Amino acid sequence: MIAHVAEADEAMGRVVLRFSSEPPNDVAIRAAVKVAQAFRSELESLFVEDEQLIDLAHFPFATEISLTGRSRRELTPRAVHHQFLATFREAQRRVSLAVRDTDVPIRQSYVRDEPVQALASACARRGPWNVVALGEALSSTSCAKILELFESVSDTTGIVIAGPRSRRTTGPIVVAVEDTGRLPGMLPAATRLAELSDAEIRILITAPDEKTYFETDAELRLVLADQANASIVPHRITHGEPACVAEQIRALQGGFLIAHFGSQTLPEAGSLRPLLAALECPLFLVR
C-alpha cells in the first residue's frame, strides 16, 4: 500500500497523533507535524484515557510502585484520572509549540477508551487515508504490538514511531528496501518529506544475501533513473540480520526512516530492540 495522508480539505483522513499514559515525546511530536506538513494534512492530537487502567484502579489492592521500588501508593480512579489530565495538558502544550510556526491545521480530542480501539474509531470517522503517529517514545516492545495496530486500525496507510534514542528529524530520508515492488509505495512519501527540508533520499537495500542485493540494485537503478536527489547506499553485507541493518541505518544519520513492516528491517515477529537501540530518527512504517 502507498504511504499517503489525505490533504486537509479532502476530509478523507489526517495524521492522528495518539497520546495515553506514557509521557509525550518531542521527537515523536515533531515527526507527526512533519508528516502533516509534507502532505498538507490536518493533525489530530488524540488523547486516550486508558479505561483499563481506570478499571484496575477500582480494585482495593491496586498499588503504584515507583521505578526504584522505594515508594508506593494506593491507586484510586480519581488519582489515575488526574494523572491522565496532567499528561494531557503537557501533550497539548508540546503539540502547540510544535505547530506554532507551521500552517498545519490542528484539532484536539480527549476520549476514555482502550488505546488501540480509540485509534481504530478515530481513523474510521475520516478514513481511509490516515497516518497514525504514536506520541510517546517506544522502548523495547515486541513487533506484535505494531502488528496489532496494523490489523486493528484498518483505515491507516502507515504508522510513525520514535524510539528512546530518537533525537532528530533533519537529515537525509532513508528508505529501507528489500523488494523493488515495495518502492513505489514508499518513494512518494520520501519525496514529500525530502522536499519539505531540501533533503537527500538514500535508498538502503536490506537484502539477505549478495545475489539478491545485486539483483535488487540493478532494478532500483532503472526505477531511480529520473530521481535526481535519490542515491543507493553502497553495499555492505548484513546477511539480513536486524541488528546489522539497524547499525547501518544509524550510520546514515537520517532525519526519517521509511520501511515496510514485515521486512528485514522490521519483521512481523520478534523484538524491536535492535532497531530502537540504534534508531536516532523517527520511523515511518508502511503497511
Side-chain angles (χ1 to χ4, degrees), residues 157-221:
T157 65
I159 298 172
V160 176
I161 63 176
R165 296 191 178 183
S166 295
R167 56 188 178 89
R168 63 172 175 268
T169 56
T170 58
I173 310 302
V174 180
V175 183
V177 179
E178 65 180 46
D179 177 4
T180 52
R182 295 286 184 179
L183 188 63
M186 298 188 284
L187 192 56
T191 301
R192 283 178 178 260
L193 287 167
E195 290 174 348
L196 187 64
S197 54
D198 195 26
E200 180 186 7
I201 299 174
R202 305 296 307 278
I203 309 295
L204 175 65
I205 302 174
T206 59
D209 55 66
E210 289 204 26
K211 179 177 182 295
T212 306
Y213 174 90
F214 287 113
E215 289 175 350
T216 306
D217 179 87
E219 294 175 3
L220 283 178
R221 291 186 186 279

Side-chain angles (χ1 to χ4, degrees), residues 17-18 55 60 74 86 103 111 117 122-123 125-126 133 145-146 155 161 177-178 238 245 255 258 260 263 265 272 285:
L17 174 59
R18 190 205 71 186
D55 291 343
E74 292 184 1
D103 57 356
V111 300
Q117 181 55 47
C123 290
R125 287 196 299 269
R126 293 275 300 276
K145 292 186 178 181
I146 303 298
D155 295 296
I161 63 176
V177 179
E178 65 180 46
T238 63
V245 174
I258 301 177
H260 170 242
S263 63
T265 306
L272 286 171
L285 275 176

Side-chain angles (χ1 to χ4, degrees), residues 127-139:
W129 304 108
N130 299 283
V131 160
V132 165
L134 303 183
E136 70 276 4
L138 291 190
S139 56

